[in-house]
Amino acid sequence: MTGIGIIGSGAIASVHVDSYKRYASDCQVKAVCDTFKAKADDLIANKALNAKAYDDYKRLLSDPAVDAVSVCLPPSAHAQISIDALKAGKHVIVEKPMASSLEECDLMIEASRDSGKILAVVSQNRYKTPVAKLKKMLDQGAVGKVLYASFDSLWWRGQVYYDLWWRGTWAQESGGCFMSHAVHYIDLMHYLFGMPAAVKASIHNVGHDNSECEDLGFADFDYKDKVIHFTCSLVSHGERQSIIVEGEKGTLSVPWAVSANKALPNGFPEEDGAGKKALEETYRAIPDLASEGHDAQLGNFLKAIRGEEPIALDGRAGKKTIELIMGIYKSAVTGKPVEFPLKPGDSFYCKESMIALMPRFHEKKKSVDNFSSSTITLGRDLGR
Ligand SMILES: NC(=O)c1ccc[n+]([C@@H]2O[C@H](COP(=O)([O-])OP(=O)(O)OC[C@H]3O[C@@H](n4cnc5c(N)ncnc54)[C@H](O)[C@@H]3O)[C@@H](O)[C@H]2O)c1
């Protein structure tokens, strides 16, 4: 029975608790922490947990009943508290984004290696049936050579969203919609296609005047044999999120859609009915995931702790996402394409030197400790 500690008792913490409760025969939440102890108390009461409440994470880390922790904190706290947890001998699963900088990612990976404890990074959208099926189809080469893909990470947040104390600042949130929202899709991009050679990007703030950071951005990733375009927004009513992959033999999309053309003698298109049918049959033949989202990823974390399967998304995978986002920010600031990898010594490797170069779109003037509502949406269900 794995003893779980939850560090940070805000909005995402209850998603973690609900998932752990689905594995009640394998784990139990033994401790919950928040600097506002009342929030830890409320989470314990609301979820009927038999757990201790702490207001100091170091005390939770010295609780022998805790074997593993979920780090559900604002991004600026992810690295130090994950490192302290690993050094205290606890396995760690940290919410997205993994950390504020590449330097922090490397220190976390080192702490995991030195302690022999697992470091996992949340990216629950890998565990969505349409994404998992798309991955299988691409790995099988179902559409032939991929020429181009586009990712729409379109979200909508009202002005007050940025009033929460840690949001809308480079120091605390560590970025705008690329860091906090498109982070999900950027993880999916390197999961599906690997790492690109370079990126050219721009960032903007068009609708949130209580945030230093971007609420709109565009990025073109150069893979040498294909191009991937990204649009990232926080001003898009309806939150239409999608992945479209254009291959030689057809187009595949999440939410699921398929089309296939062949050329008429003059090069104009006509539908390739047989090709389309074959792609549809391949998609249908791949089984749905038994479990999705946080449930599935925390299930993998628990199994990896017991040595039953490898960890699916470790610190090295999480770091790739941060590297791509830092490349986006560097390109946006310099106005030039940025090549990967970004190495130690680069201004965008360390948090302080990166922040010093970033634009402040607006001064953050309003700040609240907590909202009266803890309801959040986790984005669209990627088509299921
Ligand atoms: N995977 C997803 O889809 C998803 C969705 C929402 C949020 N998140 C991520 O989860 C993290 C938390 O987001 P949230 O929306 O739950 O934020 P939140 O503000 O609702 O909760 C964070 C909690 O951490 C507490 N806290 C801050 N510093 C602390 C410290 N040093 N020790 C103990 N407690 C501390 C705060 O008081 C707060 O209650 C962020 O990194 C966010 O990006 C992920």
Side-chain angles (χ1 to χ4, degrees):
M1 177 69 67
T2 305
I4 302 291
I6 306 283
I7 309 182
S9 308
I12 203 64
S14 45
V15 176
H16 284 237
V17 170
D18 288 344
S19 291
Y20 285 126
K21 287 183 87 169
R22 293 193 177 96
Y23 300 103
S25 54
D26 300 325
C27 72
Q28 207 182 339
V29 176
K30 295 282 194 182
V32 178
C33 174
D34 202 287
T35 37
F36 294 93
K37 185 164 167 288
K39 292 181 78 172
D41 289 331
D42 284 351
L43 189 60
I44 290 170
N46 293 339
K47 302 287 179 188
L49 300 173
N50 183 11
K52 279 190 208 158
Y54 293 99
D55 60 6
D56 176 353
Y57 78 90
K58 289 197 168 152
R59 290 188 53 229
L60 179 146
L61 293 181
S62 59
D63 186 334
V66 173
D67 305 302
V69 295
S70 275
V71 174
C72 299
L73 297 163
S76 63
H78 288 184
Q80 191 56 58
I81 294 181
S82 297
I83 290 167
D84 288 349
L86 290 162
K87 286 186 173 165
K90 316 293 183 190
H91 300 287
V92 170
I93 186 159
V94 59
E95 262 297 342
K96 61 79 185 164
M98 174 175 170
S100 305
S101 71
L102 289 166
E103 179 187 42
E104 289 182 354
C105 292
D106 280 340
L107 292 169
M108 292 163 82
I109 292 166
E110 189 182 302
S112 170
R113 195 178 50 233
D114 291 350
S115 64
K117 298 293 167 185
I118 291 167
L119 169 63
V121 181
V122 173
S123 189
Q124 78 271 15
N125 292 308
R126 285 193 186 193
Y127 296 92
K128 293 288 170 70
T129 288
V131 172
K133 289 192 178 205
L134 176 64
K135 165 90 176 136
K136 278 219 157 63
M137 289 180 78
L138 291 175
D139 289 351
Q140 290 167 10
V143 287
K145 183 173 169 342
V146 173
L147 307 169
Y148 158 63
S150 71
F151 285 70
D152 271 345
S153 175
L154 307 184
W155 305 68
W156 191 90
R157 292 291 182 268
Q159 285 281 349
V160 293
Y161 176 79
Y162 279 110
D163 294 356
L164 193 62
W165 61 274
W166 57 267
R167 289 200 185 123
T169 63
W170 294 107
Q172 302 286 348
E173 192 171 8
S174 313
C177 54
F178 269 120
M179 189 59 127
S180 287
H181 296 80
V183 62
H184 292 288
Y185 283 86
I186 290 171
D187 171 71
L188 293 182
M189 185 183 84
H190 70 76
Y191 176 56
L192 296 171
F193 299 105
M195 290 294 272
V199 66
K200 176 87 174 69
S202 68
I203 58 171
H204 316 267
N205 183 314
V206 294
H208 293 89
D209 62 12
N210 198 30
S211 170
E212 296 174 357
C213 312
E214 83 281 2
D215 64 5
L216 181 68
F218 306 95
D220 288 322
F221 291 97
D222 177 1
Y223 275 81
K224 298 300 178 200
D225 64 342
K226 61 183 159 286
V227 174
I228 298 188
H229 177 72
F230 240 93
T231 302
C232 166
S233 159
L234 276 193
V235 295
S236 299
H237 295 263
E239 301 196 339
R240 303 166 315 279
Q241 296 167 13
S242 66
I243 304 170
I244 300 174
V245 181
E246 314 280 9
E248 280 174 328
K249 296 191 213 161
T251 297
L252 305 179
S253 308
V254 174
W256 172 245
V258 58
S259 48
N261 285 157
K262 57 186 178 184
L264 292 166
N266 64 356
F268 276 67
E270 69 172 343
E271 188 175 83
D272 176 1
K276 184 177 172 188
K277 191 162 170 258
L279 290 170
E280 276 167 345
E281 280 168 3
T282 306
Y283 185 84
R284 269 199 301 277
I286 301 169
D288 286 2
L289 296 178
S291 153
E292 295 206 336
H294 279 84
D295 285 355
Q297 192 166 4
L298 291 175
N300 167 255
F301 180 54
L302 293 169
K303 281 192 180 149
I305 289 170
R306 297 197 299 273
E308 291 170 13
E309 57 184 51
I311 197 73
L313 223 153
D314 64 5
R316 282 183 300 278
K319 181 188 165 190
K320 286 181 185 170
T321 306
I322 301 301
E323 182 169 10
L324 294 171
I325 295 169
M326 289 304 146
I328 287 168
Y329 286 155
K330 182 174 180 181
S331 173
V333 165
T334 59
K336 294 183 182 148
V338 167
E339 290 183 1
F340 296 107
L342 296 181
K343 297 203 173 121
D346 193 293
S347 306
F348 284 74
Y349 178 80
C350 294
K351 180 172 178 173
E352 294 69 26
S353 48
M354 181 275 271
I355 290 182
L357 293 168
M358 295 313 292
R360 266 73 180 157
F361 287 106
H362 298 283
E363 188 187 342
K364 183 168 163 106
K365 291 194 172 133
K366 283 174 275 173
S367 185
V368 297
D369 283 346
N370 288 296
F371 288 128
S372 56
S373 163
S374 60
T375 302
I376 59 167
T377 54
L378 294 187
R380 291 168 67 119
D381 204 10
L382 294 177
R384 185 156 190 191

